[in-house]
Amino acid sequence: MPVPAIIIGGGPAGSAAAITLAKAGLKPRLVERHMAPPRGVCGGFLGWDGLAALDDLGIDPWALGARPISRFRLVTRGRTVTADLPATAAGISRKALDSALIDAAIAAGADVTRGRAARAVDPLARTVRLDDGEIIAANAIFLATGKHEMRGLARQFTHSSVGLRASLPPCPPRLDGLAGVVELHLFDHGYAGLLMQEDGSANLCLSVSSDRLSQAGGIAALLSDLMSEAPALSARMADIDPPHFEAVAGVPYGWRARRSEDGVFRIGDQSAVIASLAGDGIAIALTSGASAARAMIAGGSGAAPDWQRRMNRESRRPLGIAEMLRRGAAMPLPRRAMMELIRWVPRLGTRAAALTRIVRD
Ligand SMILES: Cc1cc2nc3c(=O)[nH]c(=O)nc-3n(C[C@H](O)[C@H](O)[C@H](O)COP(=O)(O)OP(=O)(O)OC[C@H]3O[C@@H](n4cnc5c(N)ncnc54)[C@H](O)[C@@H]3O)c2cc1C
């Protein structure tokens, strides 16, 4: 007997879909390969659209200790500009956020299996094979594997970036001026983002093009180059043991799923990968997960192709603008022009931040 829906992946997209389906009485099965949410490669910036999506799902990030953020700061060698965000955002660790989401899915009635991975999907037969050989037949498949490809439904792309993340332990003087701010250090072919998390530590994440990493000859060599290229970042990291970095490769910024098969909903990063500089990936994951689930509740598994086309249309503009900003920030001349514009007219920075958000249905 097929289950009503199988969700592969228990990140924000998968959990949002599971909560929404379960609350409607469709008991979904969710399979997550980790026993407990890992810290994961993410900046931990949750925009106002993400906060609204969490509210819809019944989750209060402030109760989890999220830190409010109202401004962003861009830093390059010798220059710093600051602008207001369009609305209050939050800084929170992915461990705290993902745990709360998956717990909410279980509480809503989803059947959650942790510690097992899906190995392959057969979209025509609508079956999913798990790592222990179990085959699950489902009326609908929600693909929510985020940054990871799934055999049978893999994304196709040519250019990609690498993401790195580490925690900087709490130490007030070094983290001076980080309260209420997300700080972005811009350099050639990438950036580093810093913000305070719920436990007072700082989340440091870096994104660089795969080419720059391979030219540097590895993570240690890249970091050493960056310490001279980005002195303000180097100062933030002074006097601490080299942090342990988690890494993810093959991040295809700007990629969108143009279509999907009957019965297959691609959600979160499997539907659209916005430049991480924009800090909207979690919001896209939450909104797409919940919206795909609502489409299935209203129209059954056959609603998938139409929903996917709509998601593709709605994500085109914010992804396009975020790509423009990412590419500009990664090159010396456009980066300098961007910094000057925001220095003289900070409202332009606020407006740019607003334009990279996805519209909610
Ligand atoms: C460097 C970097 C910084 C970023 N910073 C930010 C930020 O500050 N703010 C923001 O909003 N976005 C940010 N993002 C984007 C954000 O991380 C993603 O958009 C978001 O995590 C997507 O959520 P998701 O649920 O689609 O996927 P994920 O969060 O990747 O979750 C996928 C889940 O699926 C599970 N999984 C994978 N494969 C399988 C399998 N085969 N079987 C079972 N389970 C599986 C994984 O274990 C994971 O739990 C950043 C991205 C990068 C690369």
Side-chain angles (χ1 to χ4, degrees):
M1 183 72 176
V3 295
I6 175 148
I7 301 163
I8 313 173
S15 290
I19 294 168
T20 310
L21 290 170
K23 281 187 174 167
L26 283 176
K27 195 179 172 71
R29 172 122 184 235
L30 183 151
V31 181
E32 163 56 48
R33 64 185 182 148
H34 290 292
M35 282 305 290
R39 285 196 167 265
V41 177
C42 186
F45 176 88
L46 190 55
W48 46 99
D49 48 351
L51 290 171
L54 275 185
D55 190 47
D56 290 349
L57 294 168
I59 290 169
D60 177 4
W62 310 116
L64 303 173
R67 303 276 177 124
I69 297 178
S70 56
R71 283 168 302 136
F72 71 90
R73 181 184 297 138
L74 301 181
V75 186
T76 57
R77 184 192 272 278
R79 180 147 300 171
T80 299
V81 297
T82 304
D84 288 336
L85 289 170
T88 301
I92 187 168
S93 73
R94 286 297 299 273
K95 202 172 178 60
L97 180 65
D98 290 19
S99 300
L101 280 161
I102 209 159
D103 286 351
I106 295 167
D111 175 6
V112 172
T113 304
R114 287 190 263 203
R116 279 164 68 191
R119 284 284 173 248
V121 170
D122 182 338
L124 284 178
R126 289 201 206 153
T127 55
V128 176
R129 181 163 54 78
L130 302 191
D131 49 4
D132 62 357
E134 181 185 356
I135 308 261
I136 303 169
N139 290 334
I141 296 171
F142 287 73
L143 186 68
T145 53
K147 303 164 183 80
H148 305 276
E149 304 310 325
M150 171 55 52
R151 192 181 307 161
L153 290 175
R155 298 171 297 180
Q156 307 293 325
F157 50 84
T158 45
H159 298 290
S160 69
S161 293
V162 177
L164 301 168
R165 194 207 70 85
S167 283
L168 303 186
C171 169
R174 190 168 23 77
L175 300 183
D176 238 11
L178 265 194
V181 174
V182 57
E183 186 170 280
L184 302 174
H185 296 260
L186 310 179
F187 46 78
D188 288 354
H189 305 287
Y191 80 96
L194 262 173
L195 53 71
M196 302 278 285
Q197 312 184 111
E198 65 278 3
D199 62 359
S201 64
N203 189 68
L204 167 65
C205 90
L206 283 100
S207 171
V208 288
S209 68
S210 306
D211 290 347
R212 169 136 201 204
L213 179 64
S214 49
Q215 273 157 22
I219 293 177
L222 172 75
L223 289 170
S224 138
D225 290 352
L226 290 181
M227 291 305 100
S228 48
E229 197 175 322
L233 177 63
S234 168
R236 291 281 192 211
M237 295 171 71
D239 306 326
I240 53 167
D241 291 335
H244 166 73
F245 278 94
E246 287 151 274
V248 65
V251 182
Y253 291 132
W255 179 90
R256 307 193 312 270
R258 318 257 157 170
R259 61 187 71 83
S260 194
E261 299 77 358
D262 233 17
V264 178
F265 294 88
R266 296 164 196 257
I267 55 178
D269 276 3
Q270 290 291 321
S271 66
V273 185
I274 194 160
S276 53
L277 185 84
D280 205 38
I282 303 172
I284 290 179
L286 294 168
T287 25
S288 63
S291 145
R294 282 195 296 273
M296 170 164 176
I297 293 160
S301 56
D306 271 357
W307 178 83
Q308 204 75 55
R309 277 192 289 274
R310 182 156 66 90
M311 177 70 202
N312 177 34
R313 266 197 317 275
E314 288 177 357
S315 55
R316 187 181 301 138
R317 190 182 77 158
L319 259 72
I321 293 170
E323 267 308 277
M324 231 166 58
L325 295 173
R326 178 181 77 84
R327 287 166 195 245
M331 292 186 288
L333 280 178
R335 181 164 67 232
R336 205 168 304 145
M338 205 186 278
M339 296 287 284
E340 279 303 298
L341 274 175
I342 297 177
R343 183 155 80 98
W344 291 108
V345 193
R347 265 184 303 119
L348 285 178
T350 309
R351 182 77 190 125
L355 288 173
T356 56
R357 307 288 124 181
I358 195 157
V359 182
R360 295 199 308 144
D361 65 354

